[in-house]
């Protein structure tokens, strides 16, 4: 496509028309110039392609549902995500879909955000690594992705209008950085802007977000589309860099664009930028079309393998798992027969088949089954409960399939609590009273409180494991697959422990992010707060030993990379996989920072007895925090600790490195700067040192002996906090006036610039 030529030939009306969809899922065509339309479709963990002209407009084609993002992230497995991405790409090629809408890499600010099942993690590094792998996989098949929802769509309550009030450091370190790395490393074809406002401005018309940060800073070259119905002011959107409005606005907003150009309120250049990007996307999609075969059965098997890598074994007392085929086992709970394997809303897949655990277990042995509870309402069904108790009493081992029913979590609303249905809790409690060998398998999109945790022997957190989840669960329960997932988010003991608790989901549209950068484990660790299960935690049927840590240098320059290695040995009797995590801790920071932050991870497969070396490469950014005063990432010189562990709370190895940096933050003193701050820098001491020391001594003497030693400390401390203007009162010389003080302050500032 000769885009520049086409741009010259398009009329104003045609240009405006290209800036919005033709219907729910297509861009517009311009037949006269042979510009075709292309199709975009949900995403992210399967293809939800609506059947055109179907009686029910929401009816989608039969497809394969993979585990959702909250499960996928627990695999910490880049290759696995890429493989899934490739499968999705093939589906799209086979179905003529040019862009699949996802992945979503919003941060889990609160465990009760209704859409958390579609997001990866509370940690931006993990979220971005997962998003990168997903994007790379899909796009390797010549199909685009739409990284969403940019940005700060962290709640469903009033998601179209709410205003997320977030300071810049928090935005950059937590809420933007997952997008940043994914944009820079994986180059998604498109980005979907979010519904909400950020600090007063809708994302769909936020120039700072869509142009200054996304394009100018991160060098994003693709197209920005709106979330469905997220456009507030279309003309402002064009100016801000929102290229494509989705879905169709039935020409209404296109008309406003034309009017704005005619009135001189919008320049043709501004409009052309958006049109060019729409044409580039269409061209790219057309060029990348290929024939692909979509083998659904094969993908179902892949979904089973992926799901098994995502489940997290959270408890396994007395090594009750894996189960022995010869044990007398029963499965209890409706989810054994009908697993909850995906969430509600735009990502809902019309699965071509679903395998339940009850079906899959036949590959292993016979089990007895009792339904135990209902899911359409939270009410104990006495008959089902009685049957379940009798069944549990007759068997040696009981596997209870429990979790959150569909109505508990979905796109469109948030949970108001973190509890499981009371009827399920009652069932677990009563069964654990009569049988000591209880294993609980959980199907849920996000964390739940677990009042039963001490009464059961084992817990397998499956999340929403996709349509083949039943097979995966059985593979794990019977030890065909050794569990290797680890939590991509903290499970707090109770909802009120969560840092966003007091401000989630806000008052009206006003949502204050008062917890700042302290999201997830960053908060619980800083507060020394006990959690139910920490970030990065997960067990295996084998054991791993960590050793021989090395760092390529103990002293580094802020711009140098650092290589860290260690050795992991499988010390148990089964083959297994370990997720090795690397955290960095700034030991002497002048700003408030988390205790530590995840900056690397590797998943390593080890045969029983085998040892492998794992390597991590750290760069400047791994040590940096975002410093608003310079609008940039900043590394302070000093000591940092590199921590390697099996979870955020299980650090096995550590080494210190010293980071040298000549970069200093710009400092500027004025009349209100304190004596302590001025005396803390060389330049300040040079100019003010003698004078201030003299006053300090005078003051200590004049306060006299009678005050005792602690009072002397108090006097020094108070003097340190005195603003420079205050020292005028200590000097009786008439020439030491405001003017002279100003000159001295000026001298210090000049020396510092200097
Ligand atoms: C969701 C998006 C989705 C779009 C299209 C919106 O409501 O927020 O994630 O891609 O609908 O279905």
């Amino acid at each position: 496509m000769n885009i520049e030529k086409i741009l010259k030939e398009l009329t104003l009306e045609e240009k405006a028309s290209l800036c919005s969809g033709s219907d729910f899922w297509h861009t517009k065509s311009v037949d006269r110039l042979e510009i075709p339309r292309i199709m975009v479709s949900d995403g992210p963990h399967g293809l939800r392609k609506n059947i055109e002209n179907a009686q029910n407009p929401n009816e989608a084609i039969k497809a394969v549902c993979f585990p959702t993002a909250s499960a996928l992230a627990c695999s910490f497995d880049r290759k696995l995500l890429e493989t899934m991405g490739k499968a999705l790409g093939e589906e799209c090629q086979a179905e003529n879909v040019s862009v699949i809408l996802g992945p979503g890499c919003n941060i889990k600010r609160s465990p009760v955000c209704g859409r958390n099942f579609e997001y990866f993690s509370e940690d931006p590094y993990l979220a971005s690594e997962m998003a990168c792998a997903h994007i790379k996989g899909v796009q390797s098949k010549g199909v685009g992705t739409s990284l969403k929802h940019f940005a700060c769509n962290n709640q469903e309550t009033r998601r179209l209008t709410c205003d997320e009030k977030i300071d810049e450091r928090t935005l950059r370190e937590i809420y933007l950085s997952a997008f940043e790395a994914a944009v820079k490393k994986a180059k998604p074809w498109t980005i979907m802007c979010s519904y909400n406002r950020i600090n007063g401005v809708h994302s769909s018309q936020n120039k700072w977000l869509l142009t200054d940060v996304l394009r100018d800073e991160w060098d994003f070259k693709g197209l920005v589309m709106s979330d469905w119905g997220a456009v507030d002011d279309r003309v402002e959107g064009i100016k801000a860099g929102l290229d494509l409005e989705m879905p169709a606005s039935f020409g209404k907003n296109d008309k406003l664009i034309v009017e704005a150009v005619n009135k001189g309120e919008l320049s043709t250049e501004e409009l052309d930028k958006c049109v060019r990007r729409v044409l580039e996307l269409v061209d790219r999609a057309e060029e990348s079309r290929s024939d692909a075969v979509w083998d659904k059965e094969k993908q179902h098997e892949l979904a089973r393998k992926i799901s098994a890598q995502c489940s997290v074994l959270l408890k396994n007392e007395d090594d009750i798992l894996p189960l022995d085929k010869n044990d007398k086992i029963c499965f209890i709970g409706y989810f054994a027969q009908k697993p909850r394997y995906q969430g509600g809303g735009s990502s809902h897949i019309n699965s071509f088949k679903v395998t339940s655990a009850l079906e899959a277990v036949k590959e292993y042995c016979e089990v007895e089954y009792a339904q135990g509870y209902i899911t359409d309402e939270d009410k104990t069904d006495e008959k089902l409960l009685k049957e379940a108790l009798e069944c549990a009493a007759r068997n040696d081992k009981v596997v209870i399939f429990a979790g959150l029913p569909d109505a508990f979590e979905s796109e469109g609303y948030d949970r108001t609590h973190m509890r499981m249905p009371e009827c399920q809790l009652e069932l677990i409690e009563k069964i654990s009273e009569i049988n000591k060998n209880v294993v609980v398998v959980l199907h849920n999109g996000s964390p739940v409180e677990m009042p039963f945790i001490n009464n059961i022997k084992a817990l397998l957190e499956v999340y929403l494991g996709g349509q083949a989840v039943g097979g995966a669960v059985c593979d794990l329960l019977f030890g065909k697959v050794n569990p290797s997932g680890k939590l991509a988010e903290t499970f707090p003991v109770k909802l009120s422990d969560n840092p966003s608790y007091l401000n989630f989901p806000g008052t009206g549209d006003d949502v204050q992010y008062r917890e700042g950068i302290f999201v997830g484990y960053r908060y619980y660790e800083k507060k020394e707060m006990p959690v139910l299960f920490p970030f990065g935690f997960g067990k295996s049927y084998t054991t791993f030993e960590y050793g021989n840590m090395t760092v390529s240098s103990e002293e580094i320059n802020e711009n140098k990379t650092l290589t860290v290695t260690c050795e992991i040995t499988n010390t148990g009797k089964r083959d297994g996989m370990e997720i090795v995590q690397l955290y960095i801790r700034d030991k002497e920071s002048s700003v408030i920072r988390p205790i530590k932050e995840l900056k690397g991870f590797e998943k390593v497969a080890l045969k029983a007895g085998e040892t492998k070396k794992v390597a991590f490469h750290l760069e400047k950014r791994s040590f940096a925090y975002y410093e608003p005063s310079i609008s940039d990432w900043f590394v302070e010189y000093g000591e940092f600790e590199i921590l390697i562990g099996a979870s955020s709370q299980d650090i096995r190895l550590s080494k210190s490195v010293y980071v040298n940096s000549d970069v200093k933050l710009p400092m500027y003193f004025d009349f209100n700067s304190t004596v302590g701050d001025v005396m803390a820098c060389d330049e300040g001491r040079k100019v003010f040192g003698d004078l201030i020391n003299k006053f300090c001594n005078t003051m200590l003497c004049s306060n006299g002996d009678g005050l005792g030693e602690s009072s002397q400390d108090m006097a020094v401390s108070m003097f340190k906090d005195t603003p420079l203007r205050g020292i005028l009162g200590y000097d009786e010389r008439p020439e030491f006036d405001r003017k002279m003080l100003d000159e001295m302050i000026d001298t210090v500032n000049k020396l510092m610039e200097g």
Side-chain angles (χ1 to χ4, degrees):
M1 194 186 274
N2 185 339
I3 292 175
E4 293 311 314
K5 183 164 171 275
I6 291 179
L7 269 174
K8 287 196 189 103
E9 290 168 358
L10 284 166
T11 64
L12 172 60
E13 285 71 17
E14 284 167 339
K15 283 183 183 174
S17 81
L18 284 170
C19 294
S20 61
S22 63
D23 59 18
F24 233 75
W25 305 113
H26 294 89
T27 61
K28 289 212 190 82
S29 57
V30 178
D31 297 340
R32 172 179 90 78
L33 297 172
E34 291 176 5
I35 302 170
R37 63 177 200 166
I38 59 165
M39 180 168 203
V40 303
S41 214
D42 284 305
H45 46 264
L47 180 59
R48 180 176 75 106
K49 181 187 171 184
N50 280 8
I51 300 172
E52 241 177 312
N53 305 323
Q55 249 187 350
N56 168 1
N58 280 326
E59 194 182 333
I61 57 163
K62 292 279 180 198
V64 181
C65 177
F66 291 96
T68 74
S70 58
L72 290 167
C74 296
S75 73
F76 281 68
D77 191 334
R78 300 173 181 92
K79 269 201 198 124
L80 194 78
L81 272 274
E82 206 170 322
T83 308
M84 183 194 77
K86 284 181 181 160
L88 293 174
E90 270 164 18
E91 292 182 20
C92 291
Q93 283 290 7
E95 288 294 330
N96 253 327
V97 171
S98 299
V99 177
I100 182 161
L101 305 174
C105 74
N106 296 96
I107 295 298
K108 300 182 195 211
R109 177 181 178 228
S110 162
V112 293
C113 165
R115 219 172 169 183
N116 273 0
F117 69 89
E118 259 191 88
Y119 300 140
F120 294 114
S121 179
E122 66 189 24
D123 180 84
Y125 176 73
L126 176 58
S128 77
E129 289 295 294
M130 295 292 98
C132 278
H134 180 127
I135 294 167
K136 280 185 191 159
V138 172
Q139 295 192 170
S140 71
K141 297 290 172 184
V143 171
T145 52
S146 198
L147 184 63
K148 64 191 188 182
H149 308 88
F150 188 57
C152 308
N153 186 171
N154 306 309
Q155 65 183 57
E156 291 297 287
T157 308
R158 300 171 83 106
R159 67 174 168 163
L160 277 89
T161 52
C162 67
D163 186 4
E164 321 279 347
K165 304 268 177 48
I166 317 176
D167 66 85
E168 189 170 11
R169 183 173 165 207
T170 302
L171 265 172
R172 297 286 191 157
E173 286 186 26
I174 304 294
Y175 297 103
L176 295 185
S177 74
F179 287 97
E180 178 183 2
V183 164
K184 287 180 176 168
K185 288 200 223 163
K187 304 195 183 337
W189 288 14
T190 80
I191 282 217
M192 186 190 291
C193 78
S194 60
Y195 286 123
N196 50 279
R197 284 178 272 185
I198 302 173
N199 295 325
V201 187
H202 276 102
S203 297
S204 60
Q205 60 209 51
N206 194 325
K207 180 177 168 294
W208 171 78
L209 185 73
L210 302 185
T211 297
D212 302 353
V213 173
L214 180 63
R215 296 189 190 280
D216 297 348
E217 280 184 38
W218 301 350
D219 202 26
F220 176 66
K221 297 273 189 260
L223 167 138
V224 179
M225 69 176 78
S226 71
D227 197 346
W228 269 231
V231 167
D232 172 55
D233 182 325
R234 186 64 188 108
V235 174
E236 283 306 309
I238 298 270
K239 288 184 187 168
L242 172 66
D243 307 310
L244 178 65
E245 171 182 14
M246 285 304 288
S249 65
F250 299 104
K252 289 171 199 159
N253 279 336
D254 306 349
K255 217 169 127 204
L256 295 181
I257 296 174
V258 173
E259 275 170 24
V261 174
N262 286 336
K263 281 194 207 147
E265 289 162 4
L266 178 71
S267 70
T268 312
E269 291 72 37
E270 284 170 311
L271 177 58
D272 281 0
K273 276 190 194 166
C274 294
V275 179
R276 186 178 287 109
R277 290 192 285 248
V278 173
L279 294 173
E280 280 167 358
L281 176 69
V282 173
D283 191 35
R284 192 175 196 176
E286 288 299 299
E287 291 289 308
S288 314
R289 274 199 205 291
S290 73
D291 289 332
V293 189
W294 182 6
D295 186 337
K296 295 198 181 78
E297 286 295 344
K298 219 165 131 191
Q299 286 200 2
H300 184 76
E301 278 315 301
L302 176 65
R304 176 173 181 163
K305 279 199 190 122
I306 293 177
S307 176
Q309 300 303 320
C310 299
S311 299
V312 190
L313 181 65
L314 290 172
K315 184 172 180 182
N316 193 17
E317 221 171 86
D318 303 332
D319 289 336
I320 185 175
L321 291 178
L323 299 171
D324 189 320
K325 288 180 200 172
N326 301 314
D327 289 340
K328 229 174 134 201
I329 302 165
C330 66
F331 281 7
I332 291 180
Y334 182 66
F335 286 161
Q337 178 199 337
K338 248 187 160 299
R340 176 152 180 266
Y341 64 94
Q342 66 170 329
S346 58
S347 66
H348 196 89
I349 306 298
N350 186 5
S351 300
F352 88 93
K353 77 170 178 190
V354 180
T355 309
S356 70
L358 205 52
E359 235 177 292
V361 75
K362 292 184 191 134
E363 295 170 30
Y364 290 92
C365 61
E366 294 267 312
V367 298
E368 215 185 318
Y369 171 68
Q371 183 180 325
Y373 59 85
I374 50 170
T375 53
D376 41 3
E377 57 179 325
D378 187 1
K379 203 174 113 197
T380 297
D381 182 314
E382 296 299 340
K383 187 168 158 274
L384 293 181
L385 177 64
K386 188 164 168 279
E387 273 171 23
L389 291 175
E390 286 165 5
C391 177
R394 281 195 294 273
N395 284 279
D396 297 336
K397 290 181 178 164
V398 186
V399 185
I400 304 177
F401 290 76
L404 296 178
D406 274 323
F408 273 60
E409 51 180 355
S410 165
E411 177 177 342
Y413 54 87
D414 298 313
R415 283 188 293 166
T416 51
H417 61 79
M418 245 176 67
R419 290 189 303 279
M420 280 167 51
E422 296 301 327
C423 62
Q424 292 189 26
L425 293 178
E426 185 184 352
L427 176 78
I428 299 173
E429 190 188 314
K430 294 215 160 123
I431 290 181
S432 53
E433 277 165 13
I434 55 165
N435 191 317
K436 293 294 150 219
N437 292 321
V438 174
V439 176
V440 171
V441 172
L442 281 184
H443 293 281
N444 44 319
S446 38
V448 289
E449 292 168 4
M450 296 184 200
F452 51 80
I453 192 66
N454 295 326
N455 306 331
I456 60 167
K457 282 245 166 97
L459 179 71
L460 186 66
E461 173 57 75
V462 176
Y463 279 100
L464 303 180
Q467 66 178 50
V469 67
V473 168
C474 291
D475 295 342
L476 292 162
L477 289 177
F478 290 91
K480 182 173 175 197
V481 178
N482 191 346
S484 63
K486 297 203 180 187
L487 291 180
E489 63 189 312
T490 311
F491 276 49
V493 176
K494 54 187 189 306
L495 179 59
S496 55
D497 290 347
N498 178 261
S500 72
Y501 181 70
L502 296 176
N503 297 290
F504 186 97
T507 312
D509 281 342
D510 186 53
V511 189
Q512 302 279 345
Y513 282 50
R514 298 254 167 104
E515 70 283 2
I517 57 168
F518 292 99
V519 174
Y521 69 89
R522 286 168 169 75
Y523 175 80
Y524 301 115
E525 289 193 349
K526 197 83 175 174
K527 287 280 291 179
E528 299 178 353
M529 190 180 269
V531 296
L532 183 56
F533 296 111
F535 176 83
F537 174 75
K539 295 170 82 75
S540 162
Y541 296 151
T542 185
T543 46
F544 300 99
E545 226 172 72
Y546 287 56
N548 286 340
M549 178 175 180
T550 67
V551 290
S552 55
S553 167
E554 272 162 21
E555 217 171 294
I556 53 164
N557 173 298
E558 56 145 5
N559 287 319
K560 281 256 173 66
T561 57
L562 182 75
T563 302
V564 180
T565 68
C566 69
E567 283 177 5
I568 312 293
T569 305
N570 181 345
T571 47
K573 292 198 178 65
R574 284 170 182 270
D575 299 351
M577 290 206 241
E578 173 67 332
I579 296 163
V580 187
Q581 299 155 48
L582 183 147
Y583 296 86
I584 295 190
R585 173 168 177 214
D586 187 351
K587 283 187 82 172
E588 339 158 358
S589 178
S590 63
V591 295
I592 177 169
R593 293 191 75 170
I595 300 289
K596 60 180 182 292
E597 296 177 275
L598 183 77
K599 297 295 170 185
F601 60 84
E602 288 302 327
K603 191 167 192 176
V604 47
L606 294 162
K607 298 222 171 304
E610 192 184 7
T611 300
K612 272 188 190 162
K613 194 173 183 172
V614 181
F616 303 92
H617 303 285
L618 304 174
E619 44 193 40
K620 174 180 172 184
R621 188 63 180 268
S622 316
F623 297 88
Y625 74 92
Y626 190 83
E627 175 52 59
S629 70
I630 52 167
S631 303
D632 203 355
W633 295 88
F634 180 65
V635 182
E636 275 189 303
Y637 68 88
E639 201 179 338
F640 287 79
E641 228 175 336
I642 317 276
L643 308 159
I644 294 183
S647 89
S648 60
Q649 293 300 295
D650 185 6
I651 298 302
R652 308 279 183 91
L653 304 166
S654 76
K655 266 195 189 304
S656 283
V657 294
Y658 194 90
V659 178
N660 289 313
S661 168
D662 296 335
V663 187
K664 280 200 190 137
L665 289 181
M667 248 211 286
Y668 180 78
F669 292 116
D670 64 20
F671 210 43
N672 273 308
S673 302
T674 65
V675 165
D677 285 346
V678 172
M679 292 295 276
C681 76
D682 292 343
E683 295 83 354
R685 277 195 303 278
K686 203 163 172 186
V687 177
F688 279 97
D690 290 347
L691 194 66
I692 284 177
N693 283 333
K694 192 177 103 197
F695 294 148
C696 190
N697 288 334
T698 321
M699 189 187 63
L700 288 178
C701 293
S702 71
N703 274 336
D705 296 335
L707 294 176
E709 275 191 22
S710 67
S711 299
Q712 293 214 341
D713 290 347
M714 176 197 79
V716 171
S717 159
M718 282 169 62
F719 189 55
K720 270 179 147 177
D721 289 348
T722 303
L724 290 177
R725 62 179 150 77
I727 66 174
L728 285 174
Y730 284 88
D731 194 327
E732 50 201 29
R733 286 179 297 155
E735 68 273 23
F736 187 53
D737 57 2
R738 169 79 195 251
K739 188 165 164 271
M740 188 168 164
L741 182 60
D742 277 346
E743 281 166 9
M744 288 171 79
I745 295 172
D746 249 21
T747 311
V748 180
N749 286 336
K750 285 205 180 97
L751 282 173
M752 284 193 308
E753 272 170 27

